[in-house]
Structure formats: C-alpha cells, structure tokens
Amino acid sequence: MNVLLTGGAGYIGTHTCVELIKAGHKAIIADNFSNSSPKAVERVEEITNTKIPLYKIDVCDKEAVEKLFSENKIEAVIHFAGLKAVGESCAIPLAYYRNNIDSTLTLLEVMKKHGVKNFVFSSSATVYGIPEKVPLVEGMPTGCTNPYGWTKLMNEQILQDAANADEELSVVLLRYFNPIGAHESGRIGENPNGIPNNLMPYITQVAAGRLKCLGVFGNDYNTHDGTGVRDYIHVVDLAKGHVKAINYAQEHKGTEIFNLGTGVGYSVLDIVKAFIKANKIEIPFEIKPRRAGDIDECYADPTKAREVLGWQAEKSLEEMCRDSWNWQSNNINGYD
Ligand code: NAD
Ligand code: UFG
C-alpha cells in the first residue's frame, strides 16, 4: 500500500517507515520539522536503500495536504504528527489543541475528498489518566490530567465519530506505552530538543557526558522499590505494530483500539540498573521529589493486540538499553 506518514521524520515515524518499507509498502512522509530533522529521513533512505517522497508541510495546512494527496495515490494514513511534551502542553494548551486536533480534522477532510479509507492514529497510554488498576485493558475508563492527553482522547473521539458516519472508513487507534531503544544500525533514534523530559534519553545523555546526573523523581511510590513503574517497549517492536495495524485496517471497517506495550512494568531503578549492566557505564543518580502528575504504575494488558492483530513485543529490556546507547554513543549530538 501507499502509506502517508505524517510526522514521519520523528522518533516513532522513522522507525515505522523502515518497517513498512521492509514489509513491501511504499512510504510518503509529511513533516514540518518542528521537532525533527530532514537528516532523519535521509538516514531512513540509507537503511532501506529507498528514495522516500518527502513533503515539508504543516498537516494543518489544508491546501498543502490537498496538493500532496493530488500528487500521490495515498491508500492509508498513519498520523504521528503532533506536539507531545506534557509539561509544555500545560504552558501553551491552545497551541497543542490547535496543532493536534486541527491536523486530524484536516487529514480526515482531505481523505474523504480523495476516497482514502484507512487511518492509523498515534494515541497514548496517557488516555487512561490515573488508572484504578493495572494492567490496563482497552475497555477501561479514560480521563486525562493534562492538555496533551486531552488532545489524544479528543482525537480518539473524533476518529470514532468519523468512522461511525462512514461505513467504509477504517480507524485503528494505537495506545503506545513507553517507547525506548533505537534501530539496531544506530543510524536513527530519539533526538529530543533541549533537556530531555523522558527517562531513557536523559539516561543516555548522562552516559554521554552531556548531563551530569539523573534525577529519579520520587522513591515513595506504591511499587516494588518505590520508584515509578512503566511499560517500556522497544521502538522497533512498536513500529512493527503499525505494519500489523495497516494490514488490519485494510481488511476491517469501523474503529478498533489496541494497547501497544509489553505487559511488563519496570521501575526507574530497574531501568537504570539494566542500562548499567547492558552497557557497562555508570549512571550517577539522585533521588528528587516526585514530578507533578506522575502515577505509581502504568503497564498494558497487550492480549488484544496479540489475539486480534497477531502482534506482540519481542525485544528484551537488555536490547532496549543496548540499542538506546548504540544510537546515542554514535550520535552524541543527535542528527546535528
Ligand atoms: P516526534 O516529535 O519525534 O515526532 C512527531 C513529528 O511530527 C515530528 O517530526 C514533528 O516535526 C512532526 N509534526 C508535529 N506537528 C506537525 C504538523 N502540524 N505538521 C507536520 N509535522 C508535524 O514524536 P514521536 O515520539 O515520534 O511521537 C509520534 C506520535 O506518537 C505523537 O503523536 C506522539 O504524541 C505519540 N506518542 C508518543 C509517545 C512517546 O513516548 N514518544 C508515547 C505515546 C504517544
Ligand atoms: N523519570 C525520572 N527522571 C527523569 C525522567 C523520568 O525519574 O529524568 C521517571 C518518571 O517519574 C516516570 C518514569 O521515569 O516514573 C517514566 O517517565 P517518562 O517521562 O519517560 O514517561 P511517562 O510515563 O511520564 O510518559 C511517557 C510520555 C507520555 C505518554 C506516556 C504513556 O512522555 O507522553 O509515556 O505513553 F503519554
């Protein structure tokens, strides 16, 4: 299939692009590079030995999206493009609502005009809010604690309503847990702007000497060692989930929601220890106060994705730690 990847130059988009091409699909990328670099796309071309049509556009710009659809026979859209920093979303909520909602509406309108019927959306485990219990199952209650999360939940609603109104439309909502790791080549990986908010890029930048010491946000959570527990998933496993989702969308109509996680929760200290063991590099850390909005535990029940999509995560925590460091150590300053 000809698949449009909005935000395809980003962390998850680049890895998905590699897996789609490997599976025989054709990828077209649209990205405004607000949080990425055209170099990332060049690296994907290098890994796949394939030329990838690249549009430097804002996917909220309807005219530009129209032009892209007129010039390419798009058969499916994977919508990665979005702003994703939780803290920033509290500071500039309107920018988050504008970008993350408008982009989806624009894509749906242009898709309708061009008769494109397959949509895969990057949602997030954040839509479960403060969970009553774990593991998280797709049917559990949702609710958000920040504007970023609300944009995900609102997009899920918009997409379900669109599919209810168009019996030809197929929507797959993928709720990602915590992607880490990088392609085994070390040529593509996560490249955050400024000081990382997320755990693994912070650890790799401490390992690289760019940052001095990891702050562990709280050791009094209700978990096995007091530090927060999350479901870390290798980004290549996550990318493969999108290939399954595209195939599923092609064969089924309506909306389906899938958790993409491993089903295993690791604490912050588990991750630090695993990183030290896998890479033989010390990571100095100190316990800091809790970060506002963080929860004790969040991990998936991935049964539905296994049974319905035929997908499950395969890579170990050791591989996640090794590949994260392989990327960072070969690209100390990311793509710069
Ligand atoms: P990323 O920032 O690396 O990639 C997003 C890409 O979208 C970037 O290349 C950015 O330049 C582009 N973009 C943003 N707004 C755009 C617009 N209006 N037009 C065109 N391009 C635009 O982020 P990622 O980690 O690859 O995440 C991809 C998606 O998955 C996002 O929607 C994110 O919210 C979601 N998600 C990510 C995580 C995570 O932990 N990384 C977890 C859950 C969900
Ligand atoms: N943590 C630290 N120190 C740091 C960074 C994080 O101790 O410097 C801890 C956090 O307190 C948390 C764990 O590491 O316990 C993971 O934190 P991340 O920021 O890496 O990830 P979150 O689970 O908070 O959130 C991420 C994305 C969200 C997404 C969510 C679920 O940032 O956008 O996963 O998919 F919604």
Side-chain angles (χ1 to χ4, degrees), residues 84 86 123-127 148 176-179 196-202 214-218 221 227-230 232 268 291 294-296 298:
K84 64 163 186 176
V86 172
S123 191
S124 166
T126 196
V127 301
Y148 165 72
Y176 309 154
F177 283 68
N178 291 53
N197 294 309
N198 298 119
L199 180 62
M200 185 53 89
Y202 205 106
L214 170 72
V216 173
F217 298 145
Y221 285 103
T227 65
V229 165
R230 299 290 182 276
Y232 296 92
V268 177
R291 182 172 67 179
D294 275 354
I295 53 178
D296 300 62
C298 174

Side-chain angles (χ1 to χ4, degrees), residues 6-13 30-37 57-60 79-84 99-100 103 121-125 148 152 175-179 190 198:
T6 75
Y11 174 45
I12 304 170
D31 203 301
N32 65 359
F33 303 116
S34 57
N35 195 37
S36 56
S37 157
I57 59 169
D58 187 320
V59 286
C60 302
H79 184 27
F80 297 104
L83 300 174
K84 64 163 186 176
N99 192 67
N100 292 4
S103 54
F121 179 64
S122 297
S123 191
S124 166
Y148 165 72
K152 291 297 174 193
R175 292 180 179 163
Y176 309 154
F177 283 68
N178 291 53
E190 190 169 10
N198 298 119

Side-chain angles (χ1 to χ4, degrees), residues 145-221:
T145 55
N146 58 75
Y148 165 72
W150 281 114
T151 69
K152 291 297 174 193
L153 205 49
M154 287 176 185
N155 270 316
E156 288 197 0
Q157 187 64 49
I158 290 166
L159 286 159
Q160 291 183 64
D161 289 342
N164 287 342
D166 177 354
E167 59 184 26
E168 292 295 304
L169 189 61
S170 182
V171 167
V172 181
L173 305 173
L174 299 177
R175 292 180 179 163
Y176 309 154
F177 283 68
N178 291 53
I180 59 172
H183 189 260
E184 61 181 5
S185 63
R187 298 294 288 161
I188 53 174
E190 190 169 10
N191 185 31
N193 274 332
I195 296 180
N197 294 309
N198 298 119
L199 180 62
M200 185 53 89
Y202 205 106
I203 291 176
T204 59
Q205 292 197 15
V206 169
R210 282 175 65 178
L211 296 168
K212 278 207 162 60
C213 177
L214 170 72
V216 173
F217 298 145
N219 64 351
D220 57 353
Y221 285 103

Side-chain angles (χ1 to χ4, degrees), residues 126-138:
T126 196
V127 301
Y128 292 110
I130 301 167
E132 275 168 26
K133 56 178 181 183
V134 280
L136 290 155
V137 182
E138 287 83 351

Side-chain angles (χ1 to χ4, degrees), residues 262-302:
T262 64
V264 181
Y266 289 109
S267 72
V268 177
L269 293 181
D270 290 336
I271 298 294
V272 172
K273 282 179 204 151
F275 187 92
I276 294 171
K277 187 163 177 237
N279 299 308
K280 308 197 168 37
I281 302 173
E282 274 312 310
I283 302 296
F285 68 85
E286 60 179 327
I287 306 296
K288 292 266 180 74
R290 288 183 175 205
R291 182 172 67 179
D294 275 354
I295 53 178
D296 300 62
E297 287 192 294
C298 174
Y299 55 92
D301 178 339

